[in-house]
């Protein structure tokens, strides 16, 4: 009998040795209940991807110190009573890689991916060994050994189509419970790639689709999907249910619930998806459903650190060429806008602030200008953009806290407000107050 479930353990839940013990209990319970082992996908331990990223950049400046990353993993080995030399091979490889990287300035995206890969490669080894000690035979697996192949866009790679059957066959060959590295893959030339932050979610969805799994559970550091990030909105509450489409929309607009691309494969394959808390495994968490009763606002997402690029349009007949120019330059510089539009005298694109922007501006020349320090605050729910009363109510609530959005956009499931970033929390709370209590009920 093949595996029926895919269990994904996220970095925010993988905090310490106690968390690894909880993973062991959950996997063991699953195996007992289903009579067959699940497939497990793991993230790096909490904070490790950030630490490795910093290490990679420091190494490129000739100052890479492996110490802190190694100390943290050593402590885990000790607390879990695992052999202290379990990871030695990886430390040697990582040290050699850092030496290679020291001659790179700027750091190549391909090298960054190789350094980041150690987070998941190490956590898979630790968790597989811990499971073995717990009495559950398990094998660590690098996702590329299952045949997970992506395009070559380092840092944001996407899996190629049509790999499902090969992946499922490879998974069935793995002895014991496969503990698969999330986030990692290789391209067609065999170069290591990563799927973007939170990419382990996508790995898990791809494996679940490949297996035709009955259930996919995302074990997180939070109780499930909430109506907002409590850091923005203290009154945020747990959503027992959400549609796949709403979850995808939330992720797209910046909520760190799931990787934005992770919803589609699970939905296609009709896998039951649940987001649950590793700290409280018996709690139901959030279940994704195809359809829910009723429309209306369900949750608020915030995307921070944005800037708006504007390209002037002098004459109406220039509109199309200026739009083409703006999008052409963004495309050449690999910048994907979150929102675009045109208005009196300009065409605009809302983008992440960051590295390629100076190049974009240089290429656009003097007709371009920038508005900085922006954020989007988005109300998500079935048909929210089709309800004029709600759109008016949203403006009124924002006005009530003194916020006039810089831009706004509506889509079927999203009401997007562009605001100054220092007002994003106030805006999020104002929009959140429009979520009715019935949004929190189970169907
Ligand atoms: N470790 C990666 C990150 O921190 C991928 C993941 O956790 O899904 O983003
Ligand atoms: Mg994560």
């Amino acid at each position: 009998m093949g595996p029926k479930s895919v269990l994904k353990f996220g970095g925010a839940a993988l905090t310490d040795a106690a968390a690894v013990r909880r993973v062991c209990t959950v996997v063991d319970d699953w195996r007992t209940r289903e009579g067959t082992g699940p497939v497990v996908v793991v993230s790096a331990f909490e904070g490790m991807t950030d630490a490795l990223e910093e290490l990679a950049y420091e190494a490129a400046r000739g100052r890479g110190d492996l110490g802190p990353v190694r100390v943290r993993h050593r402590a885990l080995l000790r607390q879990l009573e695992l052999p202290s030399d379990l990871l030695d091979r990886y430390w040697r490889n990582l040290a050699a890689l850092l030496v290679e990287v020291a001659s790179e300035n700027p750091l190549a995206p391909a090298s960054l991916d190789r350094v980041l890969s150690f987070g998941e490669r190490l956590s898979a080894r630790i968790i597989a060994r811990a499971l073995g000690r717990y009495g559950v035979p398990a094998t660590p697996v690098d996702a590329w050994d299952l045949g997970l192949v992506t395009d070559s866009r380092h840092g944001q790679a996407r899996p190629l189509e049509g790999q499902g059957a090969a992946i499922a066959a490879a998974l069935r060959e793995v002895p014991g419970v496969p503990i698969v590295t999330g986030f990692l893959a290789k391209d067609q030339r065999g170069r290591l790639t990563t799927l973007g932050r939170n990419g382990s979610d996508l790995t898990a969805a791809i494996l679940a689709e490949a297996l035709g799994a009955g259930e996919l559970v995302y074990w997180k550091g939070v109780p499930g999907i909430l109506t907002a990030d409590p850091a923005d909105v203290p009154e945020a509450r747990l959503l027992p249910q959400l549609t796949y489409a709403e979850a995808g929309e939330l992720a797209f607009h910046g909520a760190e619930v799931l990787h934005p691309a992770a919803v589609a494969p699970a939905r296609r394959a009709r896998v039951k998806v649940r987001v649950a808390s590793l700290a409280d495994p018996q709690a139901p968490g959030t279940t994704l459903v195809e359809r829910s009763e009723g429309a209306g606002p369900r949750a608020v997402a915030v995307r921070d650190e944005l800037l708006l690029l504007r390209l002037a349009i002098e004459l109406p007949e220039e509109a199309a060429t200026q739009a083409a120019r703006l999008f052409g330059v963004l495309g050449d510089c690999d910048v994907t806008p979150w929102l675009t539009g045109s208005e009196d005298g300009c065409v605009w694109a809302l983008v992440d602030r960051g590295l390629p922007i100076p190049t974009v501006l240089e290429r656009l020349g003097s007709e371009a200008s920038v508005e900085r320090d922006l954020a989007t605050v988005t109300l998500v729910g079935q048909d929210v953009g089709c309800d004029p009363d709600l759109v008016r109510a949203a403006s009124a609530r924002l006005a009530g806290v003194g916020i006039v959005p810089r831009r706004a956009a509506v889509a079927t499931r999203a009401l997007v407000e562009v605001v100054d970033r220092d007002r994003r929390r106030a805006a999020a709370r104002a929009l959140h107050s429009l979520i009715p209590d019935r949004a929190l009920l189970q169907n």
Side-chain angles (χ1 to χ4, degrees), residues 327-336 356-357 359-361 363:
F327 294 122
V329 170
L330 289 175
D332 289 348
C333 298
D334 235 341
V335 177
T336 310
I357 299 304
T359 319
V360 170
L361 284 170
R363 292 195 42 189

Side-chain angles (χ1 to χ4, degrees), residues 50 104 398:
D50 289 332
E104 276 180 29
L398 290 173

